Amino acid sequence: MDLELTDRVAVVTGASKGIGLATVRTLLDEGARVVAVSRSRTSELEDLASKELTHVTADLTEPDAPARAIAAAAEAYGGVDVVVNNAGGPPPGAKLPRFTFMSLTDDDWREMFEFNLLSAVRAARAAIPLMLERGGGAIVNVSTVNARQPGAMNFDYAATKAGLSNLTMSLSDAYASQGIRVNTVSPGPVRTPWWTDDGGAADIIAAQAGASREEVLDSVAPSMMNLATGRLVSAQEVADAIVWVASPRSASTIGSDVVVDGGLLKTV
């Protein structure tokens, strides 16, 4: 299927690994020109180097960083057609999951909102005028199933993603008639460095469950979350959904939430 993304200009945040890296790779495969935004470059991102890829080094918790990334896309490729607000999860220096509410400080909450919600607000604010100049575009906000199904953990993270999902609906209502589609893609647990890095989610859960990291990744976490597939989601599976939602082939997908969760959600 031709997703009609050839020569479209896409900005992807959190692009150096995991879902973001898979999204960059998939967009390039579809013929898009991509601005990859991350705090640092990884060897995997370097392997994708071409004239169709520009890297912007930015910490998206800094208020001016999203606008700088959008401006870099306009400078490099003449405009912006797609924004994928993928950067999110634990802010720099933080680790998830966090199992308590009372230990979270105001600074913890502020940092989580800066990284997961305000970075997307700022990127959209910078990109929408450029999209309107080109007759429209697509914004894909990467949320989480925890925005719909909160539990007794990750209180600050779930709240920010619920806010992001609400923002998506509001922006969609405001701009759909002007050709800008805004949607969310909500992953479940995805086998990314967030889980697999030393000290990451797998290690934290392993310490709680008395299991090894490998056992958590392969069986404990999928069982604990009652995943219908019996495994964590792959980054590529989420990237495929993101790129489809961003493409003109999904022109009537507006204000929707596309769930890629391995069957975690069991609600209608």
Side-chain angles (χ1 to χ4, degrees):
M1 178 188 293
D2 178 7
L3 294 182
E4 302 175 14
L5 285 166
T6 299
D7 294 332
R8 304 268 178 162
V9 180
V11 178
V12 181
T13 66
S16 64
K17 55 189 177 181
I19 294 169
L21 178 66
T23 300
V24 169
R25 184 184 297 113
T26 306
L27 284 165
L28 290 171
D29 288 345
E30 291 293 330
R33 294 174 287 178
V34 181
V35 174
V37 186
S38 60
R39 290 194 301 275
S40 61
R41 290 188 177 189
T42 57
S43 60
E44 293 89 349
L45 189 57
E46 293 285 0
D47 289 343
L48 300 177
S50 74
K51 64 183 178 61
E52 307 301 330
L53 176 64
T54 296
H55 181 259
V56 174
T57 301
D59 179 350
L60 292 176
T61 62
E62 297 175 359
D64 67 334
R68 285 194 289 106
I70 299 299
E75 181 178 352
Y77 301 122
V80 176
D81 300 297
V82 173
V83 173
V84 180
N85 285 311
N86 168 69
K95 295 288 186 181
L96 294 180
R98 296 196 277 213
F99 297 99
T100 63
F101 170 73
M102 296 303 294
S103 66
L104 294 172
T105 67
D106 282 0
D107 285 341
D108 292 328
W109 281 92
R110 275 191 289 266
E111 290 167 3
M112 192 67 77
F113 269 88
E114 285 281 346
F115 192 40
N116 285 276
L117 181 57
L118 287 178
S119 66
V121 169
R122 292 161 179 155
R125 191 166 56 206
I128 284 171
L130 299 180
M131 290 181 175
L132 291 174
E133 289 177 4
R134 291 162 79 90
I139 298 172
V140 184
N141 294 323
V142 180
S143 187
T144 172
V145 292
N146 297 119
R148 291 198 203 178
Q149 186 169 295
M153 60 190 294
N154 298 333
F155 300 89
D156 48 348
Y157 173 66
T160 62
K161 290 298 192 179
L164 182 62
S165 295
N166 188 282
L167 172 70
T168 297
M169 296 295 291
S170 298
L171 288 176
S172 177
D173 192 44
Y175 290 102
S177 64
Q178 298 175 71
I180 298 176
R181 298 182 302 107
V182 190
N183 295 283
T184 54
V185 171
S186 291
V190 183
R191 192 165 182 142
T192 64
W194 177 3
W195 278 81
T196 60
D197 278 352
D198 288 343
D203 284 343
I204 294 170
I205 293 172
Q208 292 276 331
S212 70
R213 178 195 299 183
E214 291 72 23
E215 288 170 334
V216 168
L217 291 169
D218 293 340
S219 60
V220 173
S223 176
M224 179 177 67
M225 299 178 195
N226 195 22
L227 301 184
T229 58
R231 62 172 177 82
L232 300 184
V233 179
S234 76
Q236 187 61 54
E237 289 169 325
V238 182
D240 289 343
I242 290 170
V243 173
W244 178 78
V245 170
S247 80
R249 296 300 292 266
S250 62
S252 291
T253 304
I254 296 169
S256 295
D257 182 29
V258 177
V259 175
V260 187
D261 70 345
L264 188 154
L265 289 178
K266 305 290 196 296
T267 56
V268 175

